[in-house]
Amino acid sequence: MAATGQRPERAYHQDYICRVRFENNLPPPPGSLKMLDIPIDGLDYYASPGFASRLHRSQPINIEADAELGMPIDLVGMPGVFDGDESSIQAPLLIPPVHLKDKNLLRPLSELGKPKYQGGGISFLRRTEYISSDTARARAEAAPKSTPRSPGQRLRKPVDTSKDDPVNVLRAVVKGFDNAHPEHAYAGPDTKDNIKGLGSTPAETEAWDNPKHPARSNLKPLDFYPVLPDLEAVTDAGHYIVTKFTANPTQIIDKRDIRMDVGLLRPGDLSETVYAEYQSKMTAYEADPVNNVHPGAPPVNFHLFLPPDESSAINLSKKLNVDDPDHDDPALYTAQGGEGKGVFQLNHQRVYETWRSTAIDANHAHKEVALALHDPELEERRRGYTLGAKASSSNRSKKAAYYYPIIQKIQLKPHRSKNLAQLGVTARIEDQDDEGKVDAFDVVIEDLDETEKAKRAEHRAELLGEGGETHNGDA
């Protein structure tokens, strides 16, 4: 018998959750299998051609499909196919963005069906464990606690946010120029016009004195060229346009046609229909640039003019080459003009239309440039083969990698409808280009006038800067 006044033991309520997997141990159904004869007379009705014909008449197709269902089988009429240009039957390189309503149709198979939910917050899907008031206490005791730092332990170095300051960024840029030209490094106090660059570490100085390839350490640089603008080749617009043909523009296929070096591309006028379509695309892009692609430059047609033969092309190339000491010789002209003056005649070859056009923002005119390596000593050794033994008249005597800013890149393809009409294959199509069509040009090379000199001087001043010195680096 328990002693009088003894307190009873306190009872704790506990729940036990156990996951049990049930199995289907039912016996197979009694009786043997039996084949039943079920009439299927209606199958003949649904499989008959009459039912399909009535279904086709009663349920019209709600889509508009061409005769080839989007797969061009008949190549007649496809532009450029017989000229070697297969772009019209290939997928476009610039895929248009998918509409927001169509993105659900491109979901993978793993995302289709009913959504899957995570079972972390459901009590009956937890592991087999005891749940009691002691569980929370045990988890709290098992949690890691902050321990005092030992004297030898070092704290993580805080991030220096001052490195993102614009002044520090400018100092880091100036440091690169100081490494390239330490004799011109500015060491005075910071002023409005000059700022002192950051100090270079010994590793950075060693890397500049002995450059190494980042991936292939066994490679060594053969030569160094300072990157400079070609001030003598500055155009009236201050930039260049890169033009590429999708197919061979001439009939010469066994060698390079040197006439293309002095060819002339004359832009034509836009028709009212093409100009209206271009303006509609530009308006749509300006209204919603996210879902509309920039149309680029206007799709202008170009007329290609070339010299009649290679000898005329060579003489025209010498006339345009300021490094040729005989470029002022009037005997280089190959034809006589209307007033008896010497001219170069360029004949009309073909009409091209703009296939692709990429315009570069005018605020980032030097985003893409073309480089030309120029070494006076190397050119002097080759001069006996190219220009003879006479000295050069050019002032471009400094060894450098001259760059030329590119503002636009255009890809041209033959204007198939016009070219077939010229051959008599199809009916002739009249447009605004036919009104001012030119069969040939008489080209005369003359000096720049005052307006052209003023435009080029303005662009040179932008390249030289306020101090009158060209900003450059080494390559």
Side-chain angles (χ1 to χ4, degrees):
M1 180 177 292
T4 305
Q6 185 177 2
R7 297 179 58 184
E9 296 181 359
R10 184 177 180 182
Y12 294 93
H13 179 73
Q14 295 181 351
D15 295 334
Y16 175 72
I17 300 176
C18 179
R19 184 176 59 183
V20 180
R21 179 177 298 178
F22 295 92
E23 297 181 0
N24 185 10
N25 295 325
L26 298 176
S32 58
L33 301 178
K34 182 174 64 174
M35 303 297 294
L36 300 178
D37 187 9
I38 301 176
I40 53 174
D41 298 337
L43 183 61
D44 297 336
Y45 168 74
Y46 292 112
S48 62
F51 175 78
S53 300
R54 287 190 296 272
L55 183 62
H56 174 69
R57 290 192 299 268
S58 62
Q59 301 292 335
I61 301 177
N62 58 355
I63 61 175
E64 296 180 1
D66 54 356
E68 298 173 351
L69 298 179
M71 299 179 62
I73 302 175
D74 188 5
L75 298 182
V76 176
M78 305 302 296
V81 172
F82 299 102
D83 295 336
D85 181 14
E86 299 180 355
S87 59
S88 59
I89 60 176
Q90 295 179 353
L93 297 180
L94 298 177
I95 301 177
V98 182
H99 196 272
L100 297 178
K101 296 181 179 180
D102 296 335
K103 287 187 177 181
N104 292 331
L105 301 176
L106 301 178
R107 290 184 302 172
L109 297 177
S110 59
E111 297 183 4
L112 299 179
K114 297 181 179 180
K116 299 180 180 179
Y117 298 98
Q118 298 290 339
I122 304 176
S123 60
F124 59 85
L125 294 181
R126 288 182 293 183
R127 296 178 302 173
T128 302
E129 60 182 358
Y130 289 100
I131 299 178
S132 63
S133 59
D134 298 335
T135 305
R137 188 185 307 112
R139 290 180 179 178
E141 294 176 356
K145 300 180 180 179
S146 58
T147 56
R149 182 174 59 88
S150 59
Q153 186 178 1
R154 301 178 62 182
L155 292 176
R156 179 179 298 179
K157 186 177 180 180
V159 179
D160 188 6
T161 57
S162 61
K163 292 184 178 180
D164 297 334
D165 185 72
V167 177
N168 285 336
V169 174
L170 182 58
R171 293 182 189 276
V173 174
V174 173
K175 181 180 69 172
F177 290 93
D178 294 343
N179 290 334
H181 303 281
E183 66 277 5
H184 300 302
Y186 179 74
D190 295 342
T191 61
K192 181 180 179 181
D193 299 328
N194 295 316
I195 187 171
K196 183 179 179 181
L198 296 176
S200 301
T201 62
E204 294 175 345
T205 305
E206 176 66 20
W208 183 262
D209 296 336
N210 300 311
K212 294 182 180 181
H213 195 275
R216 305 172 64 180
S217 58
N218 57 335
L219 297 181
K220 295 182 179 180
L222 299 179
D223 206 346
F224 298 89
Y225 290 82
V227 180
L228 299 174
D230 193 349
L231 300 180
E232 296 185 2
V234 175
T235 62
D236 297 346
H239 50 256
Y240 289 82
I241 298 176
V242 176
T243 306
K244 181 179 180 181
F245 295 89
T246 58
N248 188 8
T250 63
Q251 301 297 330
I252 300 177
I253 58 176
D254 56 343
K255 63 178 182 179
R256 182 173 176 271
D257 193 351
I258 62 175
R259 298 182 302 165
M260 293 297 299
D261 296 341
V262 292
L264 176 64
L265 281 174
R266 176 177 178 266
D269 297 330
L270 283 178
S271 62
E272 296 180 359
T273 305
V274 176
Y275 182 75
E277 182 180 357
Y278 173 77
Q279 286 295 334
S280 62
K281 293 181 179 180
M282 180 60 72
T283 304
Y285 171 76
E286 293 176 353
D288 188 5
V290 178
N291 297 323
N292 296 286
V293 183
H294 193 283
V300 181
N301 293 339
F302 291 88
H303 299 260
L304 177 62
F305 295 84
L306 294 178
D309 49 30
E310 292 187 357
S311 60
S312 301
I314 294 176
N315 288 358
L316 181 55
S317 178
K318 290 182 178 181
K319 191 68 175 177
L320 296 174
N321 188 5
V322 295
D323 292 335
D324 194 328
D326 297 332
H327 71 281
D328 291 331
D329 189 359
L332 293 176
Y333 289 107
T334 58
Q336 295 293 329
E339 300 178 358
K341 297 182 179 180
V343 296
F344 292 103
Q345 187 175 5
L346 302 182
N347 300 326
H348 184 270
Q349 300 294 323
R350 204 170 190 178
V351 182
Y352 289 88
E353 61 182 5
T354 303
W355 182 39
R356 291 176 182 170
S357 178
T358 303
I360 301 175
D361 189 2
N363 298 327
H364 303 81
H366 294 75
K367 183 179 180 180
E368 296 189 15
V369 297
L371 284 178
L373 302 181
H374 177 69
D375 190 349
E377 298 181 359
L378 184 60
E379 293 293 335
E380 203 62 37
R381 274 178 271 165
R382 295 178 178 176
R383 198 171 302 282
Y385 174 74
T386 56
L387 302 177
K390 297 182 180 181
S392 173
S393 60
S394 173
N395 296 325
R396 196 187 298 107
S397 59
K398 185 175 182 180
K399 175 183 177 182
Y402 293 97
Y403 68 87
Y404 308 88
I406 298 174
I407 196 65
Q408 187 179 5
K409 295 185 292 184
I410 303 176
Q411 290 188 0
L412 302 178
K413 69 176 181 179
H415 199 322
R416 184 169 178 79
S417 60
K418 278 179 170 280
N419 298 325
L420 292 179
Q422 293 176 359
L423 297 176
V425 179
T426 60
R428 185 170 184 82
I429 301 176
E430 299 291 340
D431 59 7
Q432 295 183 5
D433 287 343
D434 294 333
E435 298 178 0
K437 181 180 178 182
V438 179
D439 295 329
F441 268 112
D442 291 340
V443 180
V444 179
I445 309 301
E446 297 179 349
D447 295 333
L448 301 177
D449 55 16
E450 297 300 328
T451 304
E452 295 172 340
K453 290 181 180 179
K455 290 181 180 180
R456 302 192 180 195
E458 182 179 355
H459 294 301
R460 290 193 187 99
E462 295 177 358
L463 295 174
L464 292 175
E466 297 180 357
E469 297 182 357
T470 305
H471 303 283
N472 65 85
D474 286 351

